[in-house]
Amino acid sequence: MSKTVAEPKSGRAPREPEPAAGLVPGKAVYFFGDGRAEGNARMRDLLGGKGAGLAEMMNAGVPVPPGYTITTEACRLFFESGGRLPGSVAREEDAMLARLERLLGRRLGDPENPLLLSVRSGAPVSMPGMMDTILNLGLNSATVEGLATKTRSARFAFDSYRRFVQMFSDVVLGVPRARLEAELTAAKKKARAKADVELDEKTLRALVRRLLSVVREETGQDFPEDARVQLAQARDAVFRSWHTDRAEHYRRLNGIPDTFGTAVNVQAMVFGNLGARSATGVGFTRDPSTGEPRFYGEYLMNAQGEDVVAGIRTPHPIAQMERELPEAFAELKAITERLERHYRDVQDFEFTIEEGRLFMLQTRRAARTGIAALRIAVDMVDEGLLSKREALERVEPDQLDQVLHPVLDSTARKRHARLAKGLPASPGAAAGAIVFTSEEAVERGRKERVILVRAETSPDDIAGMHAAAGILTATGGMTSHAAVVARGMGKCCVAGCTELQIDEAKRTLKIAGRMFREGTFLSLDGSTGEVLEGDVPTTDSEVVRVLTGRLKPTQAPLFERFERLMAWCDEVRRLRVRANADVPRDAQIARSLGAEGIGLCRTEHMFFAADRIPHVVTMILNAKEARQARLRIARIEEELAGASASERPGLKQELARAKKEGGASMRDFDGALAKLLPLQRADFKGLFLAMEGTPVTIRTLDPPLHEFLPKREHLLAELQGLRRSAKADPRRQQIERTLARVEELHEFNPMLGFRGCRLGILHPEITRMQARAIFEAAAQVAKSGLPVRPEIMIPLVGDKEELRRQRAEVETVAQDVMRRLQTTIPYTIGTMIEIPRAAVLADEIAAHADFFSFGTNDLTQMTFGFSRDDCGRFLPEYVDAGILPGDPFVSLDTRGVGVLIQRACFAGRRAKPGLKIGVCGEHGGDPASIAFFEQTGLDYVSCSPFRVPVARLAAARAALSRT
Ligand code: PEP
Ligand code: MG
């Protein structure tokens, strides 16, 4: 090797490589060979990840087979021209091919000395296995003989030819893969061979003849003999593979834009199947499951690359190669270590050893699990490879979810038989009903947890893998399709579990003589590779166990790294992070995960508890009558005050009657509130204590009332049973009364109905009861010496008058409680901004608010006019069809809802400088939305407790991206 990969200087974090130097406007094909490349690592968008990586390796003196990359720009031109490469690009390609032929002294299609090529896809963002590849291109009836003579192995030449015909026919000519595979299986059966490598030259010659005639039968045409035609067709097929269903599905899942396109890499073939000193393999510079710093990979002797990734033969661990091919092993280790230092990131590499000589075919940033990402980022800071800031950029916020993922319960698992052990391909735990096809996983996965069981997954299984809770495969190693994709999805996977005997047709799985039918429950431990019988319960992760005091931090290295990364986040982020929590247990978890307050306590959730439902029902059943009675009494009293002497006796009688008639419902209503008061007080006290003096935002009641009442159908059924009982039967009367209320409260659009502050406006007694519970609880906690900071939040405000009235109710109660209990509680009163009108009139509303909190769930619902509960029927189709870029309830619609938020912030702060503003809808835990909130200048985001670490990291990254 003439050059070495640049090593970073020690002592400080190294810099990114210089910006793209090789970019030439209008150039569509970039060459690499003879130790020099026209492209470089910064040209990912144009050359794709693979092309940029090959160029960078070539420039750094790494042994790479020469070739050229056709750009992603050419891919776009290809589609714009209706699936044809413009002539100018084709001519550029011809020139590059000629250059390659000159460099190697071999020519494509030359029967004497044939050049063979690989043609591979390579998008700017890695899409493992999603697009097509063709190997051994250039073989035909003449060149195969030339190859046989040159390599002195006719068997090798015909094995390569067989592979080429099979691949090309499938990918380019569209011949059904199963038909081609059936020919191979039949040939093996006839030759009594178990594996492909056992097929001799004669069998392979006959097999190629059979495959060629299958092509004729299926397509009505001969397999192309002309190597140039083969190349043009293969290149176009690789471009077209950008738009296969599976590639499009993968892009949707991973948010990769369709406009990127793929590059095509054409490279001279090197052969890992040239005999006992040849091999091929893949590897990682660190363990992609755990992040452990160990050289890690798999290889196969005398094989081609696709044999390793396709999981057809189970490969050997790379350590074994040290014995079989020691020199190549040492070189591989040295090169990949340097590559890792050069890129300052873990590399996923592919290599081939041709008769003892090492070639690197690819290097790229390794996909990794959340646990590995965390470990690698923190370790690399300790190793001086990364700055803390860069470490934060290396962990995707959503990956932290995996660190908090449950694992199989260690006690419960002892009661479940261990059936088999495979490779721990992707950590986590999963239990579910077994299914054998991707389609079934999607179908059944809608109703229950499923485990997808496959011999080996292929890119066609993506949808099923996504729908499954876990993945179990029989063949394939740690770098097989199943393993790589599952890790990327953060999904538990056990791969290469050789004890499985799968019968897909009969939908059965046999393990150690035992039969399991489709639908049987199995459990997977993705961290050990174990497969267990039944539905093993899961338990909290290491991090959660430490946080809840069940594990010592010193025994939890993952926790230590997690804490360090979180501390780095807190050094740089501006946005505060709070949690949505309604009960003390959730509040404690949120606090231990770093929540700096509660941003939303939904008090209606507290009302659902078993000890309160009867009181809530009584309250609802009597609310309307009690209100009418009160209004009536107030009206008569008013009349009485201004009445003449002659009118007074009549009015007095009327007043007595009103009090008598309304007495029962007023008593019941007030009685129910009195019962709820101490329960709510205890709830709030628990929250204040758990939050240790940080702010606690409590929202007044916001439920559609009918949700608390029994279901109409149930009442009707019960009434039917009581049909014969006397009209005066108290049970019958009670049911009839409840039924009447249920029918009265029925709403056609409950989400736009009697919700939010509308309830407190009509029944201010409810707001008063809640305010009293809050302030009495706060006073109790404050008296014990702990600080408390209640923030009372009024929901679903659309007009300033609503807020003004509710605020007045709360303030009256607050003053009353503080006077009575002789204490001072610092508090604020604010509002949700979740109705578009409130966002539009934010300046008016701000006059009555100490803070705003955007309820982006309702704001999205009402801005789009999409029902939160019903849009599942059409929204996925909208996203699939590209009408919307994604589900706006998951990631904020910055163009519509986002603009309302920006304007409300601006208007609110103009009316009241320094107004505190946060968000408490689901978007408060979504990294993309958090970036928007950072830009908009919000003060805090609030999300569910387990999203708090995700939000801390997302907030830190958002802050960094602005510097
Ligand atoms: C919201 O609408 O965003 C919100 C937080 O309130 P809820 O989800 O309770 O309606
Ligand atoms: Mg809401």
Side-chain angles (χ1 to χ4, degrees):
M1 257 189 323
S2 52
K3 291 184 203 163
T4 53
V5 175
E7 295 200 22
K9 297 200 175 60
S10 56
R12 68 185 170 85
R15 296 235 186 93
E16 287 287 311
E18 291 302 312
L23 198 100
V24 179
K27 186 172 167 66
V29 189
Y30 284 72
F31 192 78
F32 51 92
D34 204 18
R36 289 221 326 270
E38 293 176 337
N40 61 46
R42 301 298 301 242
M43 293 164 71
R44 264 188 100 82
D45 287 353
L46 192 65
L47 302 182
K50 188 185 292 258
L54 286 169
E56 184 82 353
M57 281 199 289
M58 179 65 85
N59 280 331
V62 173
V64 170
Y68 57 86
T69 304
I70 312 176
T71 63
T72 53
E73 185 53 37
C75 177
R76 276 189 288 275
L77 291 174
F78 174 83
F79 286 115
E80 273 167 30
S81 320
R84 291 196 47 216
L85 202 65
S88 58
V89 179
R91 281 192 293 281
E92 241 186 277
E93 189 190 357
D94 284 346
M96 290 302 175
L97 179 62
R99 189 167 162 189
L100 183 63
E101 289 175 331
R102 275 199 304 282
L103 178 72
L104 294 172
R106 278 178 267 157
R107 285 203 1 261
L108 185 68
D110 179 354
E112 302 301 319
N113 193 9
L115 169 63
L116 299 192
L117 298 172
S118 70
V119 182
R120 297 173 206 255
S121 60
V125 178
S126 165
M127 294 172 54
M130 290 302 131
M131 287 173 296
D132 290 329
T133 291
I134 291 121
L135 303 177
N136 307 313
L137 186 138
L139 284 171
N140 57 26
S141 54
T143 53
V144 69
E145 301 296 350
L147 185 68
T149 316
K150 275 219 69 125
T151 57
R152 289 193 292 281
S153 172
R155 194 214 159 268
F156 160 75
F158 275 91
D159 184 43
S160 303
Y161 194 18
R162 181 280 293 177
R163 287 168 186 268
F164 170 56
V165 174
Q166 223 178 313
M167 245 182 184
F168 191 94
S169 306
D170 166 17
V171 172
V172 182
L173 305 177
V175 177
R177 193 180 303 167
R179 268 215 74 182
L180 300 162
E181 274 298 324
E183 291 299 336
L184 176 62
T185 311
K188 282 202 285 196
K189 200 166 169 196
K190 199 164 159 212
R192 297 215 167 88
K194 276 209 180 100
D196 310 357
V197 279
E198 294 166 30
L199 298 179
D200 61 15
E201 179 206 331
K202 196 162 147 250
T203 311
L204 288 165
R205 276 184 188 268
L207 176 56
V208 169
R209 274 196 302 278
R210 279 295 313 143
L211 290 171
L212 292 176
S213 65
V214 166
V215 171
R216 220 168 294 125
E217 281 164 33
E218 288 284 340
T219 66
Q221 278 173 0
D222 281 336
F223 189 91
E225 277 277 289
D226 184 334
R228 296 250 168 180
V229 173
Q230 293 173 356
L231 177 58
Q233 289 189 357
R235 173 201 65 205
D236 292 357
V238 172
F239 277 143
R240 275 197 303 275
S241 70
W242 178 252
H243 280 303
T244 56
D245 287 349
R246 66 180 193 227
E248 289 187 351
H249 186 80
Y250 185 89
R251 287 202 290 277
R252 265 200 307 282
L253 281 182
N254 292 282
I256 302 170
D258 279 339
T259 48
F260 275 7
T262 180
V264 175
N265 297 290
V266 177
Q267 237 178 326
M269 282 294 299
V270 284
F271 297 98
N273 53 341
L274 257 181
R277 290 183 54 243
S278 299
T280 187
V282 292
F284 296 88
T285 49
R286 302 190 191 207
D287 186 327
S289 269
T290 62
E292 205 184 316
R294 64 184 175 116
F295 190 54
Y296 182 87
E298 291 161 338
Y299 77 107
L300 279 171
M301 294 297 289
N302 197 13
Q304 278 202 335
E306 87 252 27
D307 300 341
V308 181
V309 271
I312 298 163
R313 285 160 60 189
T314 299
H316 309 298
I318 205 142
Q320 207 169 306
M321 204 174 109
E322 194 166 11
R323 285 198 302 278
E324 290 191 287
L325 295 164
E327 279 169 27
F329 177 82
E331 192 184 357
L332 177 68
K333 195 152 184 286
I335 288 177
T336 54
E337 275 169 12
R338 285 207 315 278
L339 283 170
E340 184 186 280
R341 284 201 298 279
H342 177 70
Y343 286 107
R344 297 180 302 124
D345 204 351
V346 178
Q347 297 297 299
D348 161 355
F349 54 84
E350 287 178 21
F351 63 93
T352 283
I353 299 164
E354 185 181 279
E355 300 198 304
R357 200 166 150 212
L358 174 71
F359 290 95
M360 298 302 293
L361 301 186
Q362 164 157 306
T363 190
R364 61 182 171 188
R365 183 187 172 276
R368 63 205 74 178
T369 63
I371 290 170
L374 174 64
R375 174 163 188 172
I376 291 164
V378 176
D379 285 0
M380 284 193 165
V381 170
D382 291 344
E383 291 163 25
L385 277 174
L386 296 181
S387 66
K388 287 186 207 167
R389 174 194 172 123
E390 286 167 323
L392 298 181
E393 281 159 358
R394 291 289 172 84
V395 184
E396 288 301 322
D398 280 329
Q399 284 187 314
L400 283 181
D401 245 2
Q402 291 172 42
V403 176
L404 306 168
H405 262 342
V407 292
L408 289 183
D409 184 279
S410 57
T411 317
R413 70 186 297 160
K414 292 191 188 123
R415 293 192 293 273
H416 293 256
R418 197 186 96 164
L419 299 171
K421 190 160 188 291
L423 300 168
S426 183
I434 55 171
V435 292
F436 297 99
T437 62
S438 176
E439 294 72 30
E440 193 58 31
V442 171
E443 187 55 38
R444 209 170 173 139
R446 292 201 183 103
K447 294 171 282 208
E448 59 179 331
R449 290 169 287 144
V450 296
I451 302 278
L452 178 61
V453 183
R454 304 283 288 149
E456 163 60 337
T457 60
S458 77
D460 294 331
D461 291 320
I462 289 291
M465 294 174 79
H466 193 63
I471 296 137
L472 173 62
T473 68
T475 59
M478 292 292 280
T479 48
S480 61
H481 178 267
V484 171
V485 174
R487 280 198 293 273
M489 288 179 174
K491 204 151 268 198
C492 162
C493 173
V494 173
C497 189
T498 46
E499 291 142 272
L500 310 186
Q501 286 173 268
I502 302 167
D503 189 330
E504 197 181 311
K506 292 202 185 117
R507 300 177 171 225
T508 57
L509 168 66
K510 214 163 150 191
I511 314 177
R514 294 186 54 194
M515 187 73 91
F516 299 91
R517 298 196 180 285
E518 186 169 81
T520 317
F521 260 70
L522 293 186
S523 301
L524 307 181
D525 185 335
S527 309
T528 62
E530 284 165 296
V531 181
L532 294 110
E533 190 172 6
D535 188 359
V536 183
T538 53
T539 181
D540 292 338
S541 73
E542 182 185 302
V543 170
V544 174
R545 271 179 289 150
V546 175
L547 293 174
T548 46
R550 285 171 289 152
L551 187 67
K552 286 204 185 85
T554 45
Q555 291 167 341
L558 179 67
F559 172 79
E560 285 197 331
R561 292 193 178 94
F562 170 79
E563 283 288 277
R564 287 180 65 199
L565 191 91
M566 286 292 105
W568 299 340
C569 291
D570 298 348
E571 283 169 19
V572 295
R573 74 188 157 90
R574 185 194 61 81
L575 274 172
R576 306 280 99 200
V577 176
R578 297 191 185 186
N580 294 355
D582 317 314
V583 292
R585 189 177 171 273
D586 289 355
Q588 270 154 12
I589 291 178
R591 187 83 188 112
S592 63
L593 288 169
E596 298 162 291
I598 288 182
L600 172 63
C601 161
R602 291 180 166 100
T603 52
E604 58 277 12
H605 289 183
M606 299 166 154
F607 276 39
F608 272 116
D611 59 341
R612 359 211 133 166
I613 278 284
H615 309 310
V616 175
V617 171
T618 309
M619 177 185 92
I620 297 169
L621 284 178
N622 291 285
K624 187 174 170 194
E625 283 169 28
R627 173 176 148 79
Q628 282 169 344
R630 277 205 183 93
L631 289 174
R632 186 174 160 206
I633 291 167
R635 182 182 49 77
I636 303 169
E637 281 174 346
E638 205 181 308
E639 282 178 28
L640 205 55
S644 64
S646 63
E647 290 166 335
R648 292 179 71 83
L651 283 170
K652 276 192 178 162
Q653 265 182 6
E654 205 188 323
L655 183 64
R657 208 169 36 246
K659 283 186 176 165
K660 185 159 177 264
E661 282 169 13
S665 51
M666 288 193 296
R667 255 193 322 278
D668 286 350
F669 179 72
D670 293 344
L673 288 180
K675 290 268 174 27
L676 289 168
L677 175 73
L679 300 170
Q680 285 255 276
R681 193 167 49 216
D683 291 338
F684 297 139
K685 193 173 163 187
L687 283 184
F688 292 139
L689 289 172
M691 292 314 291
E692 307 169 308
T694 57
V696 177
T697 308
I698 298 168
R699 182 174 77 181
T700 53
L701 204 59
D702 175 18
L705 282 189
H706 68 276
E707 277 183 16
F708 288 93
L709 294 179
K711 294 267 161 296
R712 184 172 176 272
E713 309 78 66
H714 298 169
L715 292 169
L716 281 172
E718 197 175 342
L719 205 57
Q720 186 74 5
L722 294 169
R723 219 178 27 203
R724 296 223 172 86
S725 64
K727 273 216 162 94
D729 176 350
R731 178 72 193 142
R732 180 170 167 176
Q733 283 188 342
Q734 192 196 359
I735 294 175
E736 280 172 346
R737 192 160 165 250
T738 312
L739 185 62
R741 278 311 271 142
V742 168
E743 279 172 352
E744 230 176 85
L745 284 169
H746 172 78
E747 292 179 310
F748 288 103
N749 281 324
M751 274 292 177
L752 301 177
F754 192 29
R755 289 178 61 192
C757 66
R758 297 157 201 171
L759 201 73
I761 300 268
L762 261 61
H763 305 299
E765 300 82 1
I766 301 178
T767 305
R768 278 182 225 138
M769 181 277 286
Q770 291 202 293
R772 189 168 151 198
I774 293 169
F775 285 100
E776 288 181 354
Q780 284 181 9
V781 175
K783 282 218 165 119
S784 71
L786 281 173
V788 262
R789 288 172 59 195
E791 301 181 336
I792 293 92
M793 181 155 76
I794 311 299
L796 231 66
V797 164
D799 189 272
K800 64 176 189 306
E801 186 56 17
E802 289 173 318
L803 180 59
R804 193 192 65 75
R805 287 182 184 213
Q806 286 289 283
R807 182 179 186 113
E809 296 291 351
V810 175
E811 277 183 332
T812 308
V813 174
Q815 298 310 320
D816 179 51
V817 173
M818 289 194 285
R819 199 177 325 108
R820 192 160 38 84
L821 300 180
Q822 299 191 341
T823 178
T824 308
I825 312 281
Y827 69 93
T828 53
I829 302 173
T831 181
M832 303 272 296
I833 301 285
E834 49 186 343
I835 292 184
R837 189 174 191 275
V840 172
L841 298 177
D843 49 347
E844 289 184 5
I845 288 174
H848 304 279
D850 302 323
F851 64 88
F852 281 176
S853 178
F854 287 102
T856 46
N857 305 334
D858 274 312
L859 195 58
T860 301
Q861 164 168 264
M862 292 188 227
T863 303
F864 275 97
F866 289 169
S867 158
R868 283 163 69 168
D869 301 326
D870 305 308
C871 60
R873 296 202 193 145
F874 60 88
L875 206 50
E877 300 258 347
Y878 265 46
V879 176
D880 277 356
I883 298 172
L884 290 176
D887 182 339
F889 289 101
V890 174
S891 207
L892 193 83
D893 158 50
T894 51
R895 285 165 36 76
V897 180
V899 170
L900 279 176
I901 292 177
Q902 281 167 334
R903 291 191 181 166
C905 284
F906 181 75
R909 285 195 175 132
R910 193 181 46 198
K912 186 171 273 182
L915 180 74
K916 190 167 69 177
I917 306 183
V919 57
C920 63
E922 284 308 303
H923 304 88
D926 168 61
S929 312
I930 290 172
F932 175 83
F933 299 136
E934 163 68 29
Q935 276 167 17
T936 309
L938 261 57
D939 296 302
Y940 68 89
V941 296
S942 188
C943 54
S944 59
F946 282 101
R947 292 298 287 181
V948 166
V950 175
R952 284 164 77 189
L953 177 55
R957 287 166 52 117
L960 287 176
S961 73
R962 283 159 64 80
T963 57

